[in-house]
Amino acid sequence: MITLKNFIGGELCDPAHGNYLDNYNPSIGEVYAQIPDSSQEDLHAAVNAANAAFPMWSQLPIGERSKHLMKLADLIEANLDQLAAAESQDNGKPVSLARKVDIPRAAANFRFFAAAIVNDGTSAHIMEGQAVNYTRRAPLGVVGCISPWNLPLYLLTWKIAPALATGNCVIAKPSEVTPYTAHLLGELVQEAGIPAGVLNILHGRGAGIGQMLVDHADIKAISFTGGTSTGKVIARSAAEQFKKVSLELGGKNPVLVFDDCEFEEAVATSVRSAFTNQGEICLCGSRIFVQESIYNEFKEAFVSKVQKLKVGDPNTTVDMGPLVSREHLQKVKNHVDQAKKQGATILTGGEKIERKGYYFEPTVIEGMDEYCAINQEEVFGPVVTLVPFRDEADAIAKANSTVYGLAAVIWTNDLKCAHRVAHQIQSGIIWVNCWMLRDLRTPFGGMKASGVGREGGEEALRFFTEPQNICIKL
Ligand code: NAP
């Protein structure tokens, strides 16, 4: 049994009240770790440590801050094996995926923002003969970073890296469902020699320590990634104190397949975009709309590929591991059962896999229009629907028929059609003839109920700083 610790003031420490929560390995459904159930006392200690570190960290020359973050990136890479194994054990994702995507991306997040700050400029506005204005971007102070369980270290570091790079001190709250790599990150922060109090990590329940973090008067901003309903609670709480918030929320992403597309590539990538990480990625395409003229051909090829996906022990060569928790497995099953009751046709899958752990079959559904629950509610699992569309206008209307607006994929060889459709889809991210091709400089985030604000590149540097105009008379 592993006992995880909080990371406060540069030290790995037990929770003040000595309370712990069970942490499960979803591949076998057994408890393998205890995690701190943090309280106000832990939060106060973390806030004090962060406040004490802030003057020094924020005034450190950017080259020095950058070096610290580069060193941390190097250490993440050097510990790839241990971090990938921990991520897989905690979340259930195939260890091969954690090695290829999650952990390299965590290192890349630190490296990217470490480089960004030394290459960043500021703006000046000159009033000829009268004055010069320059914009100073000051760090906010102590900020909170709250992340979900699906891409644990990847998403936590996507927030921590720009926050630290811009001179803030951070209190991070990983999901209680997947805390292990955050715990290991604390050890690496120590090894990197990052000064005590600059990054603090508190474990525990969202509605407990998470909410306390959001409510604490000394926390100047909250960067949150998670579900839309949690985002609403956080937005309401933060509004009381006029806190800055960045909210990256749920999605119900459409994939539009036009009849002139590269057929094989569209099929293969749509399988990947539906089932990578067990479908537990906010960017997964869960509603596939296919032009009528190729619908049957696409369906046959798609279902045949899905039936070849290998589901099993994430430590072996598989395409999908278990879902993250017993509760989530039940939630996914409830969505599918509800669709069945409403008349859905299950083309493949649709059931739990009877074995130890939280496994669900990759599932393809048809026969439900875009307004049915299965096409409106986020399932966040290995479940995808196929729906035919007539023409461009019909495809756009169907794509925009939910409250969400995170990501969309368009498959076509007609460049003009791609532009026309992309401009009319209400999504923060549009991929044309690809999926999950990410450039960290681009704005990342959703429209409508998928979020408020953007992460990535300059957007993140702006979020974690306060602009101040300084006007000097000539
Ligand atoms: P969640 O339940 O909203 O939790 C997200 C994080 O918020 C967790 O750390 C959670 O802690 C914490 N939390 C819960 N209630 C809180 C509160 N009242 N105050 C402060 N923190 C609180 O989401 P999830 O189930 O972990 O993640 C799945 C969701 O995330 C999906 O909807 C998915 O689409 C979304 N997501 C969005 C993006 C994006 O970039 N837009 C990326 C990935 C995932 P506990 O886990 O301890 O409860």
Side-chain angles (χ1 to χ4, degrees):
M1 184 71 66
I2 305 166
T3 302
L4 305 190
K5 306 226 174 204
N6 283 330
F7 184 63
I8 301 174
E11 300 294 333
L12 289 156
C13 38
D14 298 318
H17 287 182
N19 296 332
Y20 288 86
L21 303 166
D22 288 339
N23 185 32
Y24 285 79
N25 175 343
S27 72
I28 49 171
E30 287 175 8
V31 175
Y32 81 99
Q34 297 287 303
I35 73 162
D37 185 9
S38 303
S39 62
Q40 282 288 2
E41 279 77 356
D42 301 300
L43 178 59
H44 282 135
V47 170
N48 287 343
N51 275 333
F54 179 69
M56 168 278 306
W57 181 249
S58 57
Q59 285 163 33
L60 213 57
I62 49 171
E64 291 300 309
R65 279 210 301 269
S66 177
K67 262 194 223 159
H68 278 299
L69 300 183
M70 289 288 188
K71 173 91 179 125
L72 185 55
D74 292 344
L75 286 171
I76 290 172
E77 264 174 8
N79 288 275
L80 171 72
D81 291 345
Q82 187 195 12
L83 289 165
E87 205 70 295
S88 170
Q89 185 176 12
D90 224 9
N91 167 278
K93 65 182 67 211
V95 72
S96 55
L97 186 69
R99 289 182 66 86
K100 200 170 137 206
V101 177
D102 294 70
I103 309 308
R105 173 60 190 275
N109 288 340
F110 283 111
R111 210 162 267 142
F112 175 83
F113 285 107
I117 48 169
V118 292
N119 290 297
D120 199 23
T122 191
S123 47
H125 298 88
I126 296 161
M127 302 163 77
E128 280 307 333
Q130 296 179 69
V132 60
N133 296 272
Y134 69 90
T135 309
R136 173 177 173 255
R137 289 209 156 258
L140 304 174
V142 180
V143 299
C145 296
I146 303 177
S147 59
W149 48 256
N150 65 322
L151 300 165
L153 194 64
Y154 174 132
L155 288 177
L156 191 65
T157 55
W158 181 231
K159 298 177 179 307
I160 293 173
L164 294 183
T166 44
N168 301 281
C169 291
V170 170
I171 300 181
K173 210 295 280 172
S175 169
E176 79 193 65
V177 185
T178 54
Y180 195 8
T181 48
H183 165 88
L184 296 173
L185 182 68
E187 293 180 358
L188 298 181
V189 166
Q190 270 182 333
E191 196 179 334
I194 293 177
V198 167
L199 173 64
N200 305 274
I201 301 169
L202 296 179
H203 298 282
R205 292 169 298 114
I209 190 65
Q211 187 68 49
M212 291 174 211
L213 179 60
V214 172
D215 291 339
H216 198 291
D218 282 6
I219 302 297
K220 304 295 184 222
I222 293 288
S223 174
F224 169 80
T225 298
T228 295
S229 55
T230 315
K232 277 185 194 165
V233 173
I234 289 177
R236 252 184 243 125
S237 311
E240 280 294 321
Q241 297 175 37
F242 300 109
K243 264 179 206 181
K244 249 181 151 177
V245 283
S246 164
L247 303 173
E248 297 297 337
L249 310 176
K252 190 73 188 171
N253 307 311
V255 175
L256 306 184
V257 185
F258 286 89
D259 61 7
D260 67 337
C261 69
E262 293 295 331
F263 187 81
E264 295 301 330
E265 205 185 333
V267 172
T269 306
S270 299
V271 171
R272 207 162 55 79
S273 67
F275 298 107
T276 299
N277 207 47
Q278 300 74 242
E280 297 168 335
I281 303 182
C282 56
L283 305 168
C284 276
S286 56
R287 299 179 295 147
I288 306 184
F289 299 105
V290 186
Q291 198 150 21
E292 281 169 348
S293 46
I294 58 163
Y295 182 81
N296 285 331
E297 192 190 346
F298 183 94
K299 174 169 85 176
E300 202 177 303
F302 184 82
V303 170
S304 147
K305 268 203 178 341
V306 173
Q307 285 170 338
K308 292 193 184 89
L309 292 176
K310 210 169 151 201
V311 186
D313 180 349
N315 287 306
T316 60
T317 311
V318 288
D319 300 297
M320 278 173 42
L323 302 193
V324 73
S325 65
R326 184 190 299 279
E327 295 72 29
H328 192 56
L329 175 67
Q330 195 52 48
K331 183 187 147 208
V332 169
K333 182 166 165 31
N334 291 347
H335 278 290
V336 174
D337 288 349
Q338 176 182 238
K340 282 182 193 165
K341 276 194 204 127
Q342 292 175 350
T345 304
I346 308 295
L347 296 172
T348 186
E351 294 296 339
K352 289 182 189 176
I353 299 175
E354 288 312 325
R355 56 176 286 173
K356 231 175 149 195
Y358 312 135
Y359 297 85
F360 198 82
E361 294 172 336
T363 299
V364 185
I365 294 176
E366 76 166 352
M368 305 302 278
D369 74 25
E370 67 272 29
Y371 296 108
C372 288
I374 195 69
N375 280 320
Q376 289 287 318
E377 296 165 1
E378 187 185 39
V379 177
F380 211 53
V383 178
V384 69
T385 60
L386 298 182
V387 181
F389 71 83
R390 283 187 311 280
D391 52 20
E392 221 174 279
D394 190 30
I396 293 165
K398 285 184 157 74
N400 287 337
S401 65
T402 73
V403 295
Y404 296 107
L406 185 54
V409 183
I410 303 167
W411 289 98
T412 179
N413 269 328
D414 178 344
L415 191 57
K416 286 184 180 163
C417 163
H419 284 298
R420 272 194 310 269
V421 175
H423 293 188
Q424 291 177 78
I425 292 184
Q426 295 148 355
S427 284
I429 301 153
I430 311 267
W431 278 294
V432 177
N433 298 330
C434 58
W435 177 69
M436 273 291 259
L437 202 48
R438 291 278 297 117
D439 180 329
L440 302 190
R441 293 170 298 182
T442 59
F444 178 89
M447 298 181 183
K448 306 197 289 186
S450 287
V452 175
R454 294 291 183 274
E455 297 188 314
E458 275 192 13
E459 302 280 343
L461 298 177
R462 299 279 173 271
F463 175 75
F464 285 112
T465 53
E466 191 78 81
Q468 187 182 36
N469 185 62
I470 297 174
C471 177
I472 303 166
K473 191 169 180 289
L474 289 178

